[in-house]
Amino acid sequence: RSGDLSQALSRFRSFVLRHHDSPLATEAYAYLGRIFILQNRYADALLYLERIVEIERTAEVNLLVGYSLIMSGENEPGLAQLQPVANQTFSPADQQYLFEGMALAHDRLDEPLRSLYFYHQALPGSSNPQILLMTVHRILEEKADSALLTEAAFMFSESPIGQDARL
């Protein structure tokens, strides 16, 4: 909580090495996954998150696994993890992982309208909306035909995405 990720990483790793059979190990693995996600080290995040046995995986853990898979380029398996938890209530930061992960995966799978929908969901909570809007603009410019532009302009009429589609 103090922001010292290297110290937290060291302590959590030490804990799971010494107490791998503890009931708290699952929570420690989830924290390790979160730290690695914050550091953009998605393969390392998956290494720890996937140590959590299936029966102990919460919606939050499945969200982190799905997001890490997508960020690692595994779009379909990532979506398979995210779709069952998409209607759950998460913290604002986790909600961003959900929306941005689903948007990126749908973009990579050449499903631009679905991608735009999730970018639209991600915009209000984004710490850097300009980057999201640049991505949206790229999708509209490169992947949208006139029918998709018309649909996007209608669907997102009250947002920057709709305005960009209209332009």
Side-chain angles (χ1 to χ4, degrees), residues 74-146:
E74 300 290 328
N75 302 305
E76 290 176 3
L79 279 174
Q81 289 286 318
L82 293 182
Q83 287 169 336
V85 300
N87 294 326
Q88 301 283 329
T89 302
F90 295 106
S91 71
D94 285 351
Q95 203 71 31
Q96 283 305 114
Y97 289 147
L98 175 69
F99 293 145
E100 290 182 27
M102 292 186 86
L104 179 59
H106 286 295
D107 181 20
R108 289 178 181 164
L109 294 171
D110 205 26
E111 298 172 342
L113 194 57
R114 285 186 179 189
S115 180
L116 292 174
Y117 170 79
F118 287 109
Y119 279 122
H120 176 74
Q121 297 296 314
L123 272 173
S126 176
S127 61
N128 198 344
Q130 289 304 99
I131 290 176
L132 294 183
L133 289 172
M134 287 178 6
T135 303
V136 164
H137 183 74
R138 179 195 51 79
I139 292 169
L140 291 170
E141 195 170 65
E142 295 175 4
K143 297 184 177 187
D145 58 14
S146 62

Side-chain angles (χ1 to χ4, degrees), residues 10-158:
S10 173
R11 289 192 180 185
F12 280 122
R13 277 182 163 167
S14 176
F15 176 81
V16 295
L17 283 172
R18 287 186 311 218
H19 306 289
H20 59 85
D21 55 349
S22 167
L24 297 174
T26 297
E27 191 173 351
Y29 287 137
Y31 278 121
L32 284 163
R34 282 188 177 283
I35 291 168
F36 285 123
I37 288 170
L38 289 171
Q39 296 175 339
N40 300 322
R41 295 171 56 188
Y42 305 108
D44 292 328
L46 287 168
L47 180 72
Y48 285 99
L49 292 169
E50 290 177 342
R51 290 181 183 177
I52 300 171
V53 293
E54 195 70 33
I55 199 164
E56 293 181 13
R57 286 190 181 180
T58 61
E60 173 190 330
V61 170
N62 287 329
L63 167 74
L64 297 174
V65 169
Y67 180 77
S68 296
L69 285 167
I70 291 167
M71 297 308 288
S72 298
E74 300 290 328
N75 302 305
E76 290 176 3
L79 279 174
Q81 289 286 318
L82 293 182
Q83 287 169 336
V85 300
N87 294 326
Q88 301 283 329
T89 302
F90 295 106
S91 71
D94 285 351
Q95 203 71 31
Q96 283 305 114
Y97 289 147
L98 175 69
F99 293 145
E100 290 182 27
M102 292 186 86
L104 179 59
H106 286 295
D107 181 20
R108 289 178 181 164
L109 294 171
D110 205 26
E111 298 172 342
L113 194 57
R114 285 186 179 189
S115 180
L116 292 174
Y117 170 79
F118 287 109
Y119 279 122
H120 176 74
Q121 297 296 314
L123 272 173
S126 176
S127 61
N128 198 344
Q130 289 304 99
I131 290 176
L132 294 183
L133 289 172
M134 287 178 6
T135 303
V136 164
H137 183 74
R138 179 195 51 79
I139 292 169
L140 291 170
E141 195 170 65
E142 295 175 4
K143 297 184 177 187
D145 58 14
S146 62
L148 189 134
L149 287 172
T150 302
E151 183 69 19
F154 173 75
M155 282 180 64
F156 311 113
S157 63
E158 301 296 321

